[in-house]
């Protein structure tokens, strides 16, 4: 399964971005989806996830600022990021799978990600 992330860029603190993750297959219809990020020198971390039924969860550092969602066709997963902070700077990736795979980051492949830089 191939994922393509887009929507990153350079934004000032307090700004907003919306990331998109698309796939050509139907995995978003049958599996949970998630956004991850990896900052320079740090391990990749789970940022947000959405279940097949639409339940969402977030890492504490982004709660009330980020929103994960999915389009009706279930071909695209979004991450709306508001009130961005410099510590949100990272490469953002998406993926999909079982809840366990998402928790363990156990995937066969990753997309190239999209760079988000928050700086004044």
């Amino acid at each position: 399964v191939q994922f393509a992330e887009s929507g990153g860029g350079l934004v000032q603190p307090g700004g907003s971005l919306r990331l998109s993750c698309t796939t050509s297959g139907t995995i978003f219809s049958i599996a949970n989806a998630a956004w991850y990020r990896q900052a320079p020198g740090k391990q990749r971390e789970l940022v947000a996830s959405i279940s097949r039924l639409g339940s969402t969860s977030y890492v504490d550092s982004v709660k009330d600022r980020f929103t994960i969602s999915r389009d009706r066709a279930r071909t695209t997963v979004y991450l709306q990021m508001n009130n961005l902070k410099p510590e949100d700077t990272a490469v953002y990736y998406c993926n999909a799978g079982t809840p366990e795979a998402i928790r363990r980051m156990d995937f066969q492949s990753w997309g190239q990600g999209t760079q988000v830089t928050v700086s004044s």
Side-chain angles (χ1 to χ4, degrees), residues 29-109:
S29 297
I30 59 174
N32 294 10
W35 282 97
Y36 300 83
R37 67 185 178 188
Q38 187 166 18
K42 294 187 177 182
Q43 291 187 335
R44 192 168 299 184
E45 68 169 343
L46 174 61
V47 175
S49 65
I50 184 167
S51 74
R52 292 188 300 113
L53 299 180
S55 299
T56 59
S57 64
Y58 302 90
V59 67
D60 285 347
S61 60
V62 308
K63 282 181 180 177
D64 299 324
R65 299 189 298 121
F66 290 11
T67 302
I68 187 171
S69 63
R70 188 174 49 206
D71 71 336
R72 286 190 175 185
R74 299 203 176 194
T75 59
T76 304
V77 173
Y78 303 99
L79 187 67
Q80 177 67 42
M81 306 185 297
N82 299 327
N83 190 22
L84 282 160
K85 303 176 180 181
E87 51 263 42
D88 295 319
T89 295
V91 179
Y92 285 71
Y93 304 87
C94 68
N95 224 305
T98 65
E100 183 68 8
I102 285 176
R103 186 183 69 81
R104 298 177 59 184
M105 301 187 208
D106 184 14
F107 305 110
Q108 291 186 334
S109 63

